Amino acid sequence: MTLREQFQRSIGNLAPFSTGEQLLEVSHGSQHVRCQMVALDSLACAFTRLALTADALKDLPTEQLKRTAE
């Protein structure tokens, strides 16, 4: 299962909420996503922090990281 599929499944398993915060973390190999969510409903989610770490990205130059992020 890909990182995206794991993330989508994890969000799908959460109950909707509009107060408080929930931390969502998923990993696939050396890729890790950490998302600090502050709201979730049937249409969208809101978050204050989203981080992706991956060993494959650690040695890339800044310009290439910017293009990857876009």
Side-chain angles (χ1 to χ4, degrees):
M1 184 180 305
T2 68
L3 188 64
R4 178 185 290 201
E5 291 167 339
Q6 287 184 40
F7 192 80
Q8 289 172 333
R9 180 188 286 183
S10 295
I11 286 179
N13 289 335
L14 291 175
F17 67 98
S18 60
T19 59
E21 294 184 352
Q22 291 193 32
L23 179 62
L24 180 63
E25 295 180 285
V26 293
S27 296
H28 178 67
S30 67
Q31 299 175 329
H32 308 282
V33 171
R34 184 179 174 111
C35 182
Q36 189 68 42
M37 299 177 61
V38 293
L40 175 68
D41 62 27
S42 61
L43 296 176
C45 69
F47 55 89
T48 57
R49 181 168 287 158
L50 177 67
L52 167 68
T53 57
D55 289 345
L57 301 175
K58 69 180 180 182
D59 295 324
L60 294 179
T62 303
E63 287 305 313
Q64 191 169 352
L65 285 173
K66 287 179 182 178
R67 285 192 303 273
T68 299
E70 290 171 357

